[in-house]
Amino acid sequence: MTFDRSVKIAPSILSADFADFGREIQAIEAQGADWVHVDVMDGHFVPNLTFGPPAVAAFRKHVKTVMDVHLMIAPVDPYIEAFATAGADIITAHVEAGPHIHRTLQAIRATGKKAGVALNPGTPAEAVKHLLDLTDLVCVMTVNPGFGGQKFIDMTGKVAELRAMIGDRPVHIEIDGGVDPTTAPALVRAGADVLVAGSAVFKGGSVDQPQVYGANMTAIREAIRAAL
């Protein structure tokens, strides 16, 4: 992965057809997805269960771009190696998931993967101030983690704080939750460059009508262009 601040759309396959992940991944990439976002949930740190390392390894066979794996699990450290081996390009852990986030980020980087840190809506930007030199990505949650399709929580001010805090470091700011053509422009203006979108990308489409995915992503990009 090479770093750049161009806006990237990372569809969350949590909104895809669970019976056809391989073709769903191929469809969103063919329609212009920049990254593929995989939400890992444990039913403990968040109130939902999704994917483990074997599923992520199965997805990897179909992902040609960047596989962005978001670990909403606690404890997180014991599973880092497994998700790295499964083929994640980026592994993101929550600052709230354990007492030693420095150790977690060091462990991710030790596997050779990019390290991300996520912030729940109620966690201030200040929580990552002393982590930025170990971090490749800061994920700002704009919903409470656990389920797709939730109402957007405006974190534009937090994004702007992070952008100023990051300075010229090669650190992405990712938004996860409620991203659509209405919410995306202000977030990008504030400094976000990776947009995770689930229902906003997958709504109305299917592997047999993948052009809808492309149209949904185009609508997000056009709304951003019009607002900048």
Side-chain angles (χ1 to χ4, degrees):
M1 289 177 57
T2 56
F3 181 84
D4 70 82
R5 294 198 190 280
S6 64
V7 176
K8 290 160 279 293
I9 296 179
S12 168
I13 61 169
L14 193 62
S15 295
D17 180 352
F18 275 37
D20 208 357
F21 276 125
R23 289 205 301 158
E24 288 276 47
I25 290 167
Q26 293 165 14
I28 57 174
E29 290 193 331
Q31 291 296 320
D34 300 291
W35 294 4
V36 174
H37 189 82
V38 181
D39 289 303
V40 175
M41 305 182 190
D42 64 357
H44 168 68
F45 180 67
V46 293
N48 199 4
L49 286 167
T50 57
F51 316 115
V56 173
F59 304 153
R60 177 75 263 181
K61 298 173 184 176
H62 303 281
V63 176
K64 306 301 181 191
T65 55
V66 172
M67 188 160 67
D68 175 29
V69 177
H70 179 186
L71 301 183
M72 287 170 269
I73 65 177
V76 65
D77 291 4
Y79 300 96
I80 289 169
E81 185 67 40
F83 283 103
T85 301
D89 294 302
I90 305 166
I91 298 175
T92 296
H94 273 253
V95 72
E96 307 90 355
H100 306 297
I101 188 63
H102 281 86
R103 180 181 297 162
T104 300
L105 294 171
Q106 289 166 343
I108 295 170
R109 286 193 154 190
T111 68
K113 307 300 181 177
K114 299 293 186 183
V117 61
L119 295 170
N120 284 340
T123 303
E126 182 78 12
V128 299
K129 181 176 181 179
H130 300 292
L131 303 174
L132 294 174
D133 290 329
L134 282 173
T135 302
D136 300 291
L137 176 148
V138 178
C139 176
V140 177
M141 297 300 300
T142 44
V143 296
N144 289 302
F147 294 96
Q150 295 184 65
K151 185 178 179 181
F152 176 78
I153 301 171
D154 187 0
M155 290 287 132
T156 309
K158 185 189 290 188
V159 173
E161 282 184 67
L162 287 166
R163 181 83 282 284
M165 200 182 294
I166 287 167
D168 60 0
R169 295 178 179 90
V171 178
H172 296 290
I173 299 177
E174 178 177 78
I175 306 299
D176 189 350
V179 170
D180 62 24
T182 303
T183 59
L187 293 163
V188 171
R189 282 198 304 269
D193 62 289
V194 182
L195 304 175
V196 176
S199 50
V201 168
F202 285 96
K203 67 180 179 183
S206 68
V207 292
D208 297 317
Q209 291 185 298
Q211 67 277 7
V212 177
Y213 300 158
N216 289 340
M217 287 186 273
T218 296
I220 295 171
R221 290 190 174 102
E222 288 182 349
I224 292 166
R225 278 195 290 268
L228 295 181

